[in-house]
Amino acid sequence: MKADRRAFILGGAAVGMGLGAGAFALAGVADPLPEGSLAGADLARGHRLVTGGFPPPSATRATGIAIVGGGVAGLATGWRLAEAGFDDFTLLELEDRAGGNARAGRNATTAFPLGAHYLPVPNREARGLRHMLTRFGIVQGMQDGAPVYDPEQLCADLEERLFWQGRWQEGLIPRTGLAAADRAELAAFEAAMRAFQTMTGADGRPAFASPSAYSSRDPALLALDRVSFAAWLDARGWRSPVLRGHVRYAMRDDYGSEPAHVSAWAGIHYFAGRRGWAAAGAGGNELTWPEGNARLTALMAARFAARISPAQIVHRVARDGDGVAIDHFDVAQGVTVRTHARAAVLAVPRFVGARLSPDVSDAGHSYAPWLVANVAVDRLPEGRGVPLAWDNVSWTSESLGYVVATHQGPAAVTAGTVLTWYMPLSTQPPAEARRLLRDRPAAEWKRIVRDDLIATNPELKGAIRRIDLWRWGHAMIRPVPGFIWGARPAPAPPLYLAHSDSAGLPLFEEAHHAGFVAAEAAMARLGHRFESLT
């Protein structure tokens, strides 16, 4: 949900989300709480899907391919169909606007992300994604045989800083005050990850690729999926609290989960799976925008905007002869419509798909809840040490810190801004964390956010004007041990699945690839000719 920068920070494990709001409080902060909203995915529509009671269909439609869900995977499916010249499709979206967890908000100062906020420079094997980025003008050509990325869309300096021992330092790895044992374990771990990054399996594929579908199927590597990352570290005697903090931040950052709840394959993939391919040494950078990945979802949606039907509660997907019948409640019209499709792509999480179709199972699927807060401030954060960065994290906070919405580009604001603050609720079982996310009053969440920011940036006291909270109850799939390479049966055509759930890794690259794969499979079934990008 937040970043994926192969870097780290030690979050205090004792400061669990099950503790009271005072666990984050900074002594002496007693200012009145700022105004702000509490929002998230449409709970009323989601509840309606659970309770049912929809009227029978009173209208019918027909389409070649129906896409259910307008997150990254659904939009990628639609974009790929449009790119291939297939125009007989429709996308049905529950919310009033598409984008999934890559949506954005806006105030008078700037746009800001409500969830995912950046994309690493893609790997060489990510051909379909690079093709799309070229169409968007983000890849501007080739130089010395490698892609050239628009420099204004690559993250500007300073990229990241860490609040460590009372000062801000550049980068997210502590560089001062470390014991010799900590340095030795960090060096050993980093060497191991570099080896995995360049390793190939017995089948000749890279050990860890992005998208993960291009990874090796070497049994020795797949066996890493059956143990937790924490157990894998234990087996090597790596117990340095600094290294463990390194790993904990990484797992919470990408997967919303603790190292004990993530497979070693997924954990290693975080560090070894991305090898950005770009000219001029830009491969290790990331693409980011004030609105985060909403920039990409908006560009995808714009390609086929007339084919997107928002506010549609899809509540039944059933085989219908050689095709699929989809019942969806039109919120604006108050009627149920039955869409007959020659093929259908369910671009929704498995726990939703299992409610829609008996052909879909969500057994073994677990989802991480998150809180995101967009904090409007009158002045930029400062602090002792290096200056403000795009990404700013604290060694001692249970949050994952904040990114600065106005960091990018020549129009960067030099006074007020929006700080997007991230918190995975990873220290409790997901169901309990979701209840906490739902039941804790907005005022308590605001106090947690405010006090956490002021703990690292006391100069913000009195400068926070608004805190808008956004709850993600099922933000991302959790790659628990045995999940990624375990058996997850998929339905038979003409029904296809497209979601990051399909890979088990909650990453933009995975959702995008799943959408492209589903689109191409559906087009092939319907006899539409195209040149594959997967």
Side-chain angles (χ1 to χ4, degrees):
M1 173 69 66
K2 186 172 173 284
D4 181 85
R5 294 168 306 284
R6 322 299 103 180
F8 74 91
I9 168 182
L10 176 62
V15 190
M17 289 305 299
L19 301 179
F24 274 83
L26 177 69
V29 176
D31 292 341
L33 291 170
E35 62 180 6
S37 61
L38 175 65
D42 196 311
L43 294 179
R45 291 179 193 172
H47 183 69
R48 184 75 190 274
L49 176 60
V50 172
T51 59
F54 296 100
S58 57
T60 59
R61 298 173 186 166
T63 190
I65 299 174
I67 305 166
V68 178
V72 171
L75 292 172
T77 303
W79 193 91
R80 182 68 187 100
L81 295 176
E83 177 73 0
F86 186 94
D87 59 5
D88 183 18
F89 71 94
T90 188
L91 187 152
L92 305 170
E93 165 59 28
L94 175 75
E95 302 279 350
D96 289 333
R97 55 190 174 122
N101 70 8
R103 282 178 281 169
R106 177 177 288 276
N107 64 12
T109 301
T110 182
F112 48 80
L114 297 174
H117 69 272
Y118 88 108
L119 174 68
V121 169
N123 284 15
R124 185 187 292 264
E125 62 263 24
R127 192 162 63 98
L129 178 54
R130 191 165 50 256
H131 173 86
M132 187 184 78
L133 296 178
T134 301
R135 289 286 193 260
F136 291 165
I138 296 171
V139 173
Q140 298 184 320
M142 301 291 285
Q143 177 182 311
D144 299 326
V148 176
Y149 284 82
D150 180 358
E152 292 190 3
Q153 301 188 64
L154 291 168
C155 187
D157 287 337
L158 188 65
E159 292 183 34
E160 51 204 15
R161 65 175 183 169
L162 171 68
F163 191 71
W164 164 247
Q165 296 180 337
R167 295 178 59 87
W168 290 102
Q169 62 149 69
E170 184 173 359
L172 298 181
I173 302 175
R175 297 301 184 189
T176 60
L178 298 183
D182 294 326
R183 292 185 184 278
E185 287 196 17
L186 285 171
F189 178 82
E190 289 167 359
M193 296 304 106
R194 285 195 298 271
F196 278 122
Q197 191 174 47
T198 58
M199 183 184 297
T200 56
D203 53 6
R205 293 184 174 196
F208 297 90
S210 182
S212 60
Y214 300 113
S215 299
S216 173
R217 303 304 196 271
D218 188 322
L221 291 167
L222 301 191
L224 292 166
D225 189 46
R226 297 195 292 270
V227 298
S228 76
F229 204 14
W232 188 84
L233 293 170
D234 288 342
R236 280 145 190 80
W238 290 340
R239 294 182 172 83
S240 159
V242 178
L243 174 59
R244 290 302 179 123
H246 177 357
V247 169
R248 183 172 186 252
Y249 174 80
M251 299 304 96
R252 297 177 74 232
D253 187 34
D254 251 21
Y255 309 138
S257 303
E258 301 291 326
H261 304 142
V262 170
S263 84
W265 195 96
I268 295 169
H269 186 278
Y270 179 101
F271 298 96
R274 282 178 170 154
R275 303 172 303 281
W277 181 47
N285 208 332
E286 50 274 319
L287 297 155
T288 189
W289 308 269
E291 68 272 38
N293 286 1
R295 173 70 61 92
L296 298 173
T297 54
L299 288 169
M300 285 191 282
R303 179 67 183 273
F304 59 98
R307 301 190 178 281
I308 298 175
S309 296
Q312 304 292 317
I313 307 177
V314 174
H315 53 90
R316 178 178 176 270
V317 176
R319 295 182 183 276
D320 180 29
D322 292 336
V324 181
I326 301 167
D327 291 349
H328 47 104
F329 182 73
D330 187 311
V331 174
Q333 300 298 321
V335 299
T336 294
V337 178
R338 176 165 292 171
T339 293
H340 295 278
R342 296 169 63 198
V345 176
L346 293 185
V348 294
R350 284 281 187 110
F351 78 94
V352 176
R355 289 190 175 276
L356 306 182
S357 170
D359 289 349
V360 179
S361 170
D362 64 344
H365 289 64
S366 175
Y367 298 85
W370 284 68
L371 180 74
V372 179
N374 278 286
V375 184
V377 295
D378 289 342
R379 53 181 175 266
L380 295 178
E382 297 175 357
R384 298 174 61 209
V386 299
L388 185 65
W390 167 64
D391 189 32
N392 306 265
V393 295
S394 169
W395 182 259
T396 55
S397 174
E398 189 73 358
S399 80
L400 296 182
Y402 61 89
V403 295
V404 181
T406 54
H407 180 75
Q408 283 296 105
V413 177
T414 57
T417 190
V418 172
L419 311 177
T420 306
W421 180 96
Y422 292 89
M423 166 64 71
L425 279 65
S426 61
T427 60
Q428 295 175 303
E432 292 181 17
R434 274 189 285 276
R435 284 192 292 272
L436 176 65
L437 188 65
R438 178 195 65 196
D439 295 341
R440 175 169 280 170
E444 290 189 27
W445 284 123
K446 285 184 186 179
R447 188 172 294 108
I448 288 171
V449 175
R450 182 198 64 184
D451 294 357
D452 188 54
L453 286 172
I454 292 176
T456 55
N457 291 100
E459 68 278 4
L460 290 179
K461 192 173 187 296
I464 297 175
R465 293 290 169 249
R466 185 177 178 90
I467 299 177
D468 290 303
L469 305 167
W470 192 275
R471 298 180 296 193
W472 293 106
H474 297 80
M476 55 177 59
I477 191 69
R478 300 169 73 230
V480 297
F483 180 74
I484 294 175
W485 297 108
R488 296 198 305 279
L495 191 59
Y496 303 91
L497 301 181
H499 196 269
S500 61
D501 286 9
S502 301
L505 296 176
L507 307 173
F508 184 99
E509 302 95 316
E510 303 295 345
H512 182 271
H513 180 73
F516 268 39
V517 168
E520 293 191 355
M523 287 191 292
R525 180 177 177 83
L526 300 188
H528 183 80
R529 298 182 66 180
F530 60 92
E531 181 179 348
S532 178
L533 293 174
T534 62

